[in-house]
Structure formats: structure tokens, C-alpha cells
Amino acid sequence: MSVPDSDEIKGSSGDIRSFIRILRYARPYWGKLGFAVVVLGVASGMGVLSAALIGRLVERGLVARNSAAAWKFGTWVLLAESASVVATYFGRRMMTQTSNDALYLIRARLFSHLNRLPMNYFDREPLGRTVTRITYDVEGLEDFFGSTLARLLNAILSVIIVICGMMATDLRLGLIVTFSMLPAAIVTWGTRGSVRHWNREFSRRNSAINAKLSEFLNGLPVIRYFGAEQWSAKSF
């Protein structure tokens, strides 16, 4: 059974394939994930609505010195913000619970896969690298699905709702603001290769450190017996 190295999969197509492969582990929970996305969409919509109501509050209430309008729009702002906070809480909680279930399945299959690997794999691969793969890399997935994905979806939905709202309110101003975001999008797209490279480099060096540490810890009796403490510390 061959074990491909993660660095062999390069390019945006590799990232997309990896993301789709990870999502397959969440297949039993796609219904909950979809509902969580809908709830986060409601939260984004309430946030944008609150911003629009604040504009009405300032324009029709505070600037016009209309206390009735100020109280009216102030109440609506409070309700919209409260709904946004509640929806965000439940949406992220549901997504976190679902992602934890999927990651539990990934961890279980990883450990089962380790038990089926041939012995020459453990002779060829440092132990620290294997430990890094099943701990650090999975923790990265946990962080992505537990928090980053929720924030990413929330941000994307907010941007879409804001752009649609600006287009509906003032088409010319909406187009200007939309096109002003293109430089940031171009820079982000252009630097993705460098970011991917340094993330892999960090993972590779982290694996090397863990491998060396594991070797020294396992060989500590021998190191102490031959008085090689200073050599091992310098080498590490």
C-alpha cells in the first residue's frame, strides 16, 4: 500500500480536490451543514440590515431631530443586531458540532489506516512525521471547519448581500465600490502559491523537529549511557 506525500499534490486543482475529499467525510452531516449555512446567511442579512437601519436612524432621526423616528429606527437596529448575534451563535455552534463529528470520523479512519500500513512504511518514515500528520494536520482541519469556515461563509454572504444592496440602492456607486475590491482580490489570488509553499515548508520543518525529538526521547537511555547529552542538545 503506497502512501503519497502531501507535497505531491500541488496547484489550485490539488487544493480543490483535497477540499472535496475532506467534504466527503462530512457527507452524513451535509443536512446540518446546509442548515448552518442558512442560519449564518440570516445572521449576515441581519447585520447588513442593521447597518442600513443605522443610516436611516442618523438621517431621519438624529439629523432631522425627529425623536419618534430615532426611537423607531433605534429599536429596529437593536432587534436586527440581536437577531444577528443569536443566529451567528447557533450557526457557528451547529457548524462546530458537525465538523467535530466529521473530524472524529477522520481521526478514526487515520488510526485504522495506520494499522494496515506495511512495516516498510515505518522503517522509511520518521515517527515524528507520522505523529505530526495525525495530530497537527488534523488539528489544522479542526480549526478550519470549526472556526475559519464559519467566518469565511459569513464574510462571503455579507459581501454578496452588501453588493446586492448597493446595486439596488445606487448602481453607479455599487459598481465603483465593487471594482475597487478587485486589486485586493488580484493580490490574494496572486500570492496563494507563496502562502501554500510556506505552509508546506512550515509543516515539513515541524515534522522534522518532531521526528528528531521522538528519536532523542526514545534513545534517551543510550544518550545518557554514553554521556552524549551535550551532543544531542546541540544537534536538536
Side-chain angles (χ1 to χ4, degrees):
M1 181 181 298
S2 61
V3 182
D5 188 84
S6 63
D7 294 338
E8 295 176 1
I9 303 175
K10 297 183 179 181
S12 59
S13 60
D15 295 337
I16 295 174
R17 287 200 306 269
S18 300
F19 182 71
I20 294 175
R21 184 178 180 183
I22 292 171
L23 284 181
R24 290 175 182 171
Y25 287 97
R27 183 176 297 173
Y29 317 104
W30 279 359
K32 292 182 179 180
L33 280 175
F35 185 71
V37 171
V38 172
V39 174
L40 290 175
V42 172
S44 301
M46 289 295 102
V48 174
L49 178 61
S50 173
L53 289 172
I54 290 176
R56 301 290 180 88
L57 170 64
V58 173
E59 180 182 357
R60 299 185 183 181
L62 301 180
V63 175
R65 298 181 182 275
N66 188 338
S67 59
W71 278 104
K72 173 185 175 182
F73 287 109
T75 303
W76 282 111
V77 168
L78 182 61
L79 291 175
E81 285 292 334
S82 300
S84 177
V85 170
V86 172
T88 300
Y89 169 76
F90 282 105
R92 289 190 177 184
R93 179 175 180 176
M94 188 179 304
M95 182 162 288
T96 301
Q97 291 175 342
T98 305
S99 63
N100 284 336
D101 292 336
L103 286 168
Y104 174 80
L105 181 61
I106 292 176
R107 290 181 187 273
R109 291 189 179 182
L110 270 176
F111 190 77
S112 176
H113 180 69
L114 280 177
N115 291 326
R116 296 194 305 269
L117 288 175
M119 291 303 299
N120 61 3
Y121 169 83
F122 298 99
D123 294 334
R124 183 179 70 252
E125 295 292 334
L127 179 61
R129 185 179 185 185
T130 303
V131 173
T132 300
R133 291 291 177 85
I134 63 178
T135 56
Y136 172 77
D137 291 350
V138 176
E139 287 174 0
L141 290 176
E142 184 176 1
D143 180 67
F144 174 74
F145 280 101
S147 58
T148 305
L149 183 59
R151 292 197 299 266
L152 179 64
L153 290 174
N154 204 347
I156 292 175
L157 293 172
S158 297
V159 169
I160 293 175
I161 294 173
V162 167
I163 290 177
C164 293
M166 287 191 299
M167 295 291 186
T169 304
D170 191 328
L171 180 60
R172 181 173 176 270
L173 181 61
L175 290 174
I176 292 174
V177 174
T178 302
F179 282 108
S180 68
M181 295 187 294
L182 288 180
I186 293 173
V187 171
T188 302
W189 182 262
T191 57
R192 75 189 191 283
S194 298
V195 173
R196 186 188 304 113
H197 165 74
W198 287 112
N199 279 332
R200 287 190 173 128
E201 183 67 16
F202 175 79
S203 178
R204 186 185 67 81
R205 297 189 182 189
N206 190 44
S207 298
I209 291 175
N210 288 335
K212 184 65 68 173
L213 180 62
S214 177
E215 290 175 3
F216 283 160
L217 289 178
N218 290 331
L220 191 58
V222 179
I223 293 175
R224 298 289 296 274
Y225 181 81
F226 286 99
E229 293 90 348
Q230 293 184 356
W231 168 85
S232 63
K234 183 179 179 180
S235 176
F236 181 75

